[in-house]
Amino acid sequence: MMRRTGLKPGKPLVRRKSLRQVSAKRQAAQAGTSKAKRPKDTGPDRTTRQLVLERDCYECFCCGAQVYSQPYSLQHRDARGMGGSSDPLINSPANLITLLGTATSDHCHHRVEQRGVADNVAGYWLKSGQVPADTPVLHWRLGPVLLGHDGGITQVGRAA
C-alpha cells in the first residue's frame, strides 16, 4: 500500500517556525512554566470542606462508614453542573454531604450519581427547583434532617 504525503517531488521542505521558537516552548513545558491554563476550581473552599466533614462526623451520610482511610467525596445535592456554577450557595454546607467513594467507584457516591428515585426521595440529590436548605436529607442515624448554610444540622420535626 502506498503512503500518501503532502510532499511533492522537487518541492523544498519549509520550516514554519524557527528552531529557537520550538526549543523555547519545549524548555518552558519541561520547566513547568508553560502558559497552559489550570482548570478552574469550582468546589468548596478548605474551610467549608472541613466544616462539612466535622458536621458529618467523618462518616458517610448514607451508610455511616468512617471515611478516614477510604476514598470519599463531598456530594453536591443540587448539582453544580459541568464547569461549575456562579451561585455562591452551590458550595454551601446545606448543599454538601459526605459520601463514601467517588462518582465512579462502587460505593454510596457512585450509587447517588446514578440519580435513582429513592436517592432523590432521601434528599441525596435534588431536582431542579428543590432548595437544599428546605429539603430534608436522610441521615443514616438521625433520620430526616435539614442542613443549614452555617453547617448546622436539625432533625425534622424536632426543635434545635
Side-chain angles (χ1 to χ4, degrees), residues 11 19 24 49 55 58 62-63 74 95 108 113 128 141 143:
K11 186 175 177 185
L19 287 175
R49 175 175 284 279
R55 177 199 67 200
Y58 293 88
C62 293
C63 68
L74 298 185
N95 192 39
C108 296
E113 284 297 324
S128 180
R141 180 174 33 90

Side-chain angles (χ1 to χ4, degrees), residues 23 67 95 121 124 129 137 141:
S23 179
V67 297
N95 192 39
V121 170
Y124 300 137
V137 58
R141 180 174 33 90

Side-chain angles (χ1 to χ4, degrees), residues 98-156:
T98 306
L99 293 181
L100 189 61
T102 66
T104 58
S105 68
D106 291 329
H107 296 291
C108 296
H109 194 177
H110 178 69
R111 189 197 75 234
V112 170
E113 284 297 324
Q114 302 306 306
R115 302 289 193 241
V117 174
D119 288 327
N120 174 251
V121 170
Y124 300 137
W125 68 271
L126 304 178
K127 293 180 181 176
S128 180
Q130 289 181 294
V131 179
D134 299 335
T135 305
V137 58
L138 186 62
H139 186 269
W140 73 275
R141 180 174 33 90
L142 301 174
V145 296
L146 288 174
L147 304 177
H149 294 297
D150 61 353
I153 188 168
T154 307
Q155 285 185 273
V156 174

Side-chain angles (χ1 to χ4, degrees), residues 33-44:
T33 58
S34 177
K35 294 187 181 188
K37 282 185 123 182
R38 255 181 85 190
K40 183 179 172 187
D41 183 11
T42 59

Side-chain angles (χ1 to χ4, degrees), residues 25-121:
K25 280 187 178 179
R26 225 178 257 150
Q27 287 174 352
Q30 289 172 349
T33 58
S34 177
K35 294 187 181 188
K37 282 185 123 182
R38 255 181 85 190
K40 183 179 172 187
D41 183 11
T42 59
D45 60 30
R46 188 175 301 198
T47 305
T48 304
R49 175 175 284 279
Q50 189 65 35
L51 180 66
V52 170
L53 286 167
E54 288 174 5
R55 177 199 67 200
D56 297 346
C57 300
Y58 293 88
E59 298 171 334
C60 176
F61 216 83
C62 293
C63 68
Q66 293 286 320
V67 297
Y68 287 115
S69 61
Q70 301 184 63
Y72 73 92
S73 48
L74 298 185
Q75 163 75 4
H76 285 83
R77 297 171 60 212
D78 181 15
R80 58 185 167 163
M82 297 298 287
S85 171
S86 60
D87 182 2
L89 294 180
I90 207 74
N91 288 315
S92 163
N95 192 39
L96 297 168
I97 55 175
T98 306
L99 293 181
L100 189 61
T102 66
T104 58
S105 68
D106 291 329
H107 296 291
C108 296
H109 194 177
H110 178 69
R111 189 197 75 234
V112 170
E113 284 297 324
Q114 302 306 306
R115 302 289 193 241
V117 174
D119 288 327
N120 174 251
V121 170

Side-chain angles (χ1 to χ4, degrees), residues 1-28:
M1 173 186 269
M2 286 287 285
R3 189 171 153 199
R4 292 183 172 214
T5 67
L7 299 175
K8 305 270 189 230
K11 186 175 177 185
L13 292 174
V14 179
R15 180 172 289 283
R16 293 184 182 162
K17 294 183 180 184
S18 75
L19 287 175
R20 282 189 183 166
Q21 289 175 323
V22 173
S23 179
K25 280 187 178 179
R26 225 178 257 150
Q27 287 174 352

